[in-house]
Amino acid sequence: MKSLLAHIISTLVILASSVHAEQMADSFVVPVVTEHAVKKHVSPTVLYSAAVISRNDANLAGEISGLLTWVAEVGDRFRKGERVAKLDDVFIRQQVIEEKSIIQSEQAKYNFYTRTVERFSQLLTDDNIAYSRVDQASTDQSVARSNILSAKARLAQAEERLKRTNILAPFDGVVSARFLQAGEWADKGAVIVRLVSLDDLEIQTHVPSSTLQYVAKGTPLMYTDGNMSGTGKVRVFVPVGGDVSRLYELRISVSDPSLEAGNLLRVAIPTAHPRETILVPRDALVLRREGVYVFRINKESIAEKITVETGIAESGNIEVIGGILEHDRVVTRGGENLEHGMAVRVKPLQTHP
């Protein structure tokens, strides 16, 4: 019985020692997260200031003069064709009524002279009336016809002016500024509101002529505001430099719902033709006084400290020049605890070490 008890105790001691040894071994294995180095053709770039603008940005003015009876508030949104301001239309409506009345009157005269001409023409055939009376009736008929046409033209003009007392949105947008208030007099051509489209945005920047050889329509360009980044494509560039700055305007198409008109950005403009590079995530760089290096993990899960030089930056990646090759696994998290030759345990990218 004593020998059996001694055997059990001995077995438990051996198991405990084994577990302890495994725990000690694990304590010297550093958990890290890795990503692969990639080979890619990229260009060196320089960041230029830029702004998000709307392709549809209009100062809306009245085409006729008048007293403003209503103006939309700043921030109000409108669909194309909806009213954003209203001019007083009382006198124009009265003119419309007057012209319609004139048309009715002249139409009655024209009908009377038409019947008179028909009756006089019959009497002239029977030699019962002088030709001068027929001629006079025909002249009166022509005058009435001309008066009708003139009144209809004036009516069309009055109705058109009546329409133009409504200042309509030429596109979907939001009122960003109001230059005149209800109750003020708006002269013909005076700006009343500014309407900006929120849907058709693009980035505007200005670049020197030396970069134009590396930029063409459709060239993808990266933009950033310091917190986020994205990529757009060159829509057009204006081949005329400013008189003072000698910079050329670039317009970049984007489809980023997080952008708003007026946002300030920086756009990466290439300064040379693309060249082949090895890129690693920026988080892979370890910066020390003695230099910059990257930890590479070999097939035996051993960390190798590789001294590198940095080059072209692209979004969240950066070029490294040194011993890093395409497909090498480099440490992006956990490198601060590493030394050359240490054993590591690679954890999934989404898991913090």
Side-chain angles (χ1 to χ4, degrees), residues 284-298:
L285 297 181
V286 180
L287 309 179
R288 294 292 184 266
R289 287 184 178 181
E290 62 270 20
V292 180
Y293 53 88
V294 172
F295 281 108
R296 178 175 60 196
I297 307 303
N298 62 23

Side-chain angles (χ1 to χ4, degrees), residues 220-263:
L221 297 177
M222 188 199 75
Y223 59 86
T224 180
D225 66 355
N227 298 318
M228 53 76 66
S229 61
T231 302
K233 290 186 177 181
V234 175
R235 182 179 69 84
V236 70
F237 77 90
V238 181
V240 179
D243 294 337
V244 178
S245 64
R246 298 299 177 186
L247 296 178
Y248 293 78
E249 182 180 358
L250 275 183
R251 295 289 185 95
I252 303 166
S253 297
V254 290
S255 56
D256 187 343
S258 67
L259 295 179
E260 296 180 355
N263 287 162

Side-chain angles (χ1 to χ4, degrees), residues 54-226:
S54 174
R55 293 184 64 183
N56 291 318
D57 185 339
N59 289 328
L60 305 185
E63 297 180 65
I64 61 174
S65 300
L67 184 71
L68 285 165
T69 59
W70 177 79
V71 180
E73 295 287 345
V74 172
D76 287 349
R77 295 171 181 254
F78 294 92
R79 292 287 187 183
K80 180 179 178 180
E82 291 183 336
R83 185 170 63 189
V84 298
K86 173 67 176 173
L87 295 168
D88 180 50
D89 60 5
V90 172
F91 295 111
I92 300 176
R93 288 184 181 278
Q94 290 176 348
Q95 185 180 1
V96 168
I97 295 173
E98 180 181 2
E99 295 301 338
K100 287 181 177 180
S101 176
I102 291 174
I103 290 173
Q104 292 177 350
S105 176
E106 293 298 328
Q107 184 66 52
K109 291 181 181 178
Y110 175 77
N111 294 338
F112 171 76
Y113 292 134
T114 298
R115 292 192 300 270
T116 300
V117 168
E118 292 174 353
R119 187 172 64 255
F120 282 2
S121 295
Q122 184 62 42
L123 292 174
L124 182 63
T125 302
D126 299 334
D127 292 329
N128 291 327
I129 193 172
Y131 180 81
S132 59
R133 295 191 63 183
V134 177
D135 187 51
Q136 181 63 48
S138 179
T139 300
D140 291 339
Q141 181 191 36
S142 298
V143 171
R145 183 191 300 113
S146 296
N147 289 340
I148 291 172
L149 294 176
S150 296
K152 285 183 176 181
R154 292 193 302 271
L155 175 62
Q157 292 175 5
E159 289 177 337
E160 185 62 32
R161 285 197 299 273
L162 185 62
K163 290 181 181 178
R164 299 189 183 195
T165 59
N166 297 300
I167 291 80
L168 307 179
F171 48 80
D172 296 353
V174 60
V175 175
S176 64
R178 186 165 67 164
F179 300 97
L180 293 175
Q181 312 293 327
E184 292 187 286
W185 181 266
D187 290 324
K188 179 180 179 180
V191 177
I192 300 172
V193 296
R194 179 187 177 192
L195 189 71
V196 180
S197 171
L198 301 179
D199 301 322
D200 199 2
L201 303 180
E202 63 184 4
I203 297 173
Q204 177 192 51
T205 187
H206 295 82
V207 299
S209 59
S210 59
T211 64
L212 295 182
Q213 60 182 311
Y214 311 116
V215 177
K217 185 176 180 179
T219 300
L221 297 177
M222 188 199 75
Y223 59 86
T224 180
D225 66 355

Side-chain angles (χ1 to χ4, degrees), residues 30-34 297 331-335 338 344-348 351 353:
V30 180
V32 297
V33 173
T34 65
I297 307 303
V331 175
T332 56
R333 296 178 186 172
L338 280 180
V344 301
R345 183 177 71 256
V346 178
K347 303 185 74 174
T351 303

